[in-house]
Amino acid sequence: MSSTDPAEATSGHNSAAGAPAGTRATGTSLVKRGLATQLRGGVIMDVVTPEQAVVAEEAGAAAVMALERVPADIRRDGGVARMSDPALVEAIKAAVSIPVMAKARIGHFAEARVLETLGVDYIDESEVLTPADEVHHIDKWPFTVPFVCGANNLGEALRRISEGAAMVRSKGEAGTGDVKEAVRHLRQILGDIRKITQADPAERYAWAKQLQAPVELVNEVAATGELPVPLFCAGGIATPADAALVMHLGAQAVFVGSGIFKSADPPRFARAIVEATTHYQDYQIVAKVSRGLGEAMRGEESGGVVTRLSDRGW
Amino acid sequence: MVAPRVAFTGRVGVLALQGDFREHIELLGSLGVEAYPVRGPSELERADAVVLPGGESTTMSLLLESSGLLGPLVARLSRGLPALGTCAGMVLLASEVLDGRADQHHLGAIDISVRRNAFGRQRESFEADLEVVGLDRPLHAVFIRAPVVERAGPGVEVLASVQMADGTVRPVVCRQGQVLVTSFHPELVGDARLHAAFLSNIPAGTRPVATGPARARKDHVRAL
């Protein structure tokens, strides 16, 4: 399933040009985390049709998230939110050349297996969908396809990594267009990382207990000063300045859900957020791309939401 | 891993619009080479060599244009600016992209035709040891939704190849003059030998003349 697949192995040998020596290994941690590394500095956009996927790709999206409803509509419509129709995922895959991600419910490994057979490039085990299991997340190690999971704090991030997540995104409060929760979650994750780098070895055991996370991962964070996998930011990013804000706080890339296709001018918003994510340290560029952009998604103040999606995850 | 030593004393600008530029900067740093991120024309101007990292080539293509780098980079490359491109960087440096977006820019710095995502999707991404001409032992190569070279022009040296699912053998490391491209990501495994080979291949005489402060900085780096 994971790692070395004999069918993939090459008996490679060719002349002076060189050839692979040894077998090929798929689905390894290096290969899974490697794709997340390639997405850094980029914007991953939620799209609900192949046409939107093309708009996103043309605007410079590093990847798209294929789903049936953006989080703002999931909030509005209510009901149980599930994995998207495979036909939609396939149509979006066919429309673009960039990586395509799709969401499975928390703990719903059967949905995840279906998405894997569809050939999606990343699975988001997402709190935006209605959870299928209130105790367990998916055991992600046996999959060949990599997973991204949400986290509110460092303990949640490290638990997801211990289950095999190859990318973590701070959750924020999806579908609100309010960046406050994204800021809170990033600051919690990165603030605790900064503290752990100052902890002595005995204190790291206490950190592991407090975070309910393996001490080996706490030690790795202490040694490197960052998560063992890339940390991206999601949930509530609606403007170029929002993207610049979270990149400054330490996000390595941004997910934009409702913020693009609920805005007045999606192609321009998409492109402006892409440019602001790259040039987040250059406020003249952030100002330039923000100028005359029109109305951002209306949104709702995250404190007032009835269903807090970010509370999902254990 | 013990980093090889290089005699190169110039500055390497690493295109930092999107992708894994940080890994390239760190790896070049391990060789004792000054490397810095390039996001605009003034940063490009100071570079004695450039690296185009892994990432999404469509994203980088758009950002090259919007950041005003496209014209200056094409001009510098046509005058012989040494360039290393990995994965998306290979796609950008190619003279032809077989299945790119119609609006995707390619810089035409090396006479190759490249096919994107040639192995398939992420589940087909893999790691393997790879023999590369000129390296003492195999390089551990990570192929992430990797491109391959389907046509290499007469002036292009093929330094490594792999076998595809259909049995054909495709180049994955190519060099033409001072331009070196790889389908995979040497920057992800902390092995600096290809970066060292790239820099060692730059003859001192052909390096662009540096300005005053740059010269001082070079002396500083040499002293290290």
Side-chain angles (χ1 to χ4, degrees):
Chain A
M1 224 174 298
S2 65
S3 67
T4 311
D5 176 354
E8 288 279 327
T10 56
S11 52
H13 42 62
N14 81 12
S15 56
T23 54
R24 300 180 182 184
T26 57
T28 61
S29 283
L30 183 58
V31 167
K32 290 174 172 174
R33 294 173 186 183
L35 179 55
T37 308
Q38 302 313 305
L39 298 173
R40 282 210 307 245
V43 181
I44 300 143
M45 302 183 190
D46 278 4
V47 297
V48 299
T49 64
E51 293 73 29
Q52 287 188 354
V54 171
V55 168
E57 185 180 46
E58 282 174 352
V64 291
M65 176 76 70
L67 70 178
E68 277 170 358
R69 292 175 290 170
V70 294
D73 290 338
I74 292 174
R75 284 188 180 286
R76 189 199 57 204
D77 297 350
V80 175
R82 309 179 178 91
M83 173 186 80
S84 295
D85 185 331
L88 175 70
V89 175
E90 281 164 342
I92 288 171
K93 266 174 55 199
V96 294
S97 66
I98 55 179
V100 174
M101 304 185 179
K103 290 183 194 291
R105 285 180 263 176
I106 289 173
H108 206 316
F109 52 84
E111 283 188 349
R113 283 294 182 195
V114 169
L115 293 173
E116 184 174 52
T117 66
L118 296 178
V120 303
D121 297 294
Y122 243 95
I123 295 174
D124 185 1
E125 185 184 15
S126 178
E127 70 283 358
V128 168
L129 304 184
T130 310
D133 190 322
E134 293 197 318
V135 179
H136 310 95
H137 282 253
I138 297 170
D139 173 11
K140 295 166 269 287
W141 294 111
F143 286 77
T144 302
V145 67
F147 279 77
V148 51
C149 290
N152 288 348
N153 54 54
L154 183 57
E156 211 175 349
L158 296 182
R159 288 196 294 280
R160 297 297 84 81
I161 293 166
S162 75
E163 296 155 1
M167 178 204 301
V168 168
R169 53 173 176 75
S170 56
K171 285 182 197 167
E173 195 54 44
T176 60
D178 183 350
V179 79
K180 158 173 14 89
E181 295 302 310
V183 168
R184 186 199 313 279
H185 299 156
L186 266 182
R187 280 197 182 279
Q188 262 172 359
I189 294 167
L190 293 163
D192 276 354
I193 289 175
R194 283 187 283 270
K195 286 181 205 154
I196 284 175
T197 61
Q198 303 298 312
D200 76 13
E203 290 167 338
R204 290 185 214 143
Y205 291 99
W207 270 105
K209 273 180 273 185
Q210 182 195 321
L211 296 174
Q212 299 176 54
V215 73
E216 291 78 14
L217 289 178
V218 172
N219 285 336
E220 195 173 340
V221 167
T224 63
E226 57 183 7
L227 290 182
V229 305
L231 172 63
F232 292 6
C233 177
I237 293 153
T239 68
D242 286 349
L245 174 69
V246 298
M247 289 296 287
H248 262 289
L249 286 171
Q252 297 176 355
V254 296
F255 284 81
V256 184
S258 320
I260 287 168
F261 288 99
K262 290 287 175 191
S263 72
D265 188 344
R268 277 195 70 199
F269 260 84
R271 190 165 174 145
I273 291 174
V274 167
E275 291 192 44
T277 301
T278 289
H279 298 289
Y280 69 93
Q281 293 156 306
D282 186 335
Y283 289 110
Q284 291 199 353
I285 292 180
V286 179
K288 187 183 85 180
V289 302
S290 303
R291 193 171 291 129
L293 205 48
E295 205 171 333
M297 75 175 280
R298 185 160 188 289
E300 57 181 317
E301 212 260 314
S302 62
V305 299
V306 179
T307 306
R308 281 176 58 88
L309 301 177
S310 59
D311 290 342
R312 297 168 171 176
W314 9 95
Chain B
M1 190 156 320
V2 181
R5 298 198 63 79
V6 290
F8 179 80
T9 55
R11 286 176 303 196
V12 182
V14 179
L15 193 68
L17 300 173
Q18 191 271 320
D20 66 352
F21 49 88
R22 191 183 92 183
E23 279 71 14
H24 279 286
I25 291 171
E26 287 169 359
L27 204 53
L28 288 161
S30 77
L31 292 169
V33 172
E34 185 191 347
Y36 65 94
V38 171
R39 295 189 179 86
S42 62
E43 292 151 346
L44 176 65
E45 216 163 283
R46 299 191 291 121
D48 300 311
V50 288
V51 173
L52 281 71
E56 274 307 313
S57 61
T58 52
T59 303
M60 282 192 249
S61 166
L62 182 136
L63 288 162
L64 272 174
E65 188 171 22
S66 66
S67 60
L69 275 166
L70 185 63
L73 185 54
V74 169
R76 289 284 313 267
L77 288 168
S78 71
R79 294 201 303 271
L81 179 69
L84 167 66
T86 64
C87 195
M90 170 196 253
V91 175
L92 289 169
L93 287 168
S95 54
E96 188 186 10
V97 182
L98 295 170
D99 55 352
R101 292 185 49 81
D103 58 357
Q104 187 169 344
H105 300 292
H106 38 96
L107 303 165
I110 180 166
D111 183 17
I112 54 173
S113 303
V114 166
R115 183 170 302 282
R116 296 173 62 212
N117 307 332
F119 295 91
R121 307 197 69 91
Q122 171 62 13
R123 66 182 174 197
E124 279 85 42
S125 295
F126 64 97
E127 51 181 301
D129 286 337
L130 185 74
E131 305 258 5
V132 181
V133 172
L135 296 189
D136 50 347
R137 59 195 151 76
L139 187 87
H140 193 64
V142 190
F143 292 81
I144 310 275
R145 289 171 47 93
V148 295
V149 175
E150 294 212 345
R151 182 198 61 84
V156 174
E157 300 167 79
V158 174
L159 302 183
S161 301
V162 301
Q163 194 169 42
M164 307 301 292
D166 65 2
T168 57
V169 173
R170 298 293 189 200
V172 293
V173 182
C174 290
R175 181 167 63 197
Q176 183 175 22
Q178 311 305 319
V179 179
L180 179 67
V181 293
T182 71
S183 295
F184 53 90
H185 297 279
E187 70 277 13
L188 287 184
V189 294
D191 186 336
R193 286 178 296 155
L194 264 181
H195 288 69
F198 163 65
L199 296 173
S200 304
N201 197 40
I202 300 171
T206 62
R207 205 174 305 139
V209 178
T211 55
R215 180 77 64 195
R217 179 65 191 164
K218 278 184 182 179
D219 292 340
H220 169 67
V221 172
R222 190 178 289 122
L224 295 174

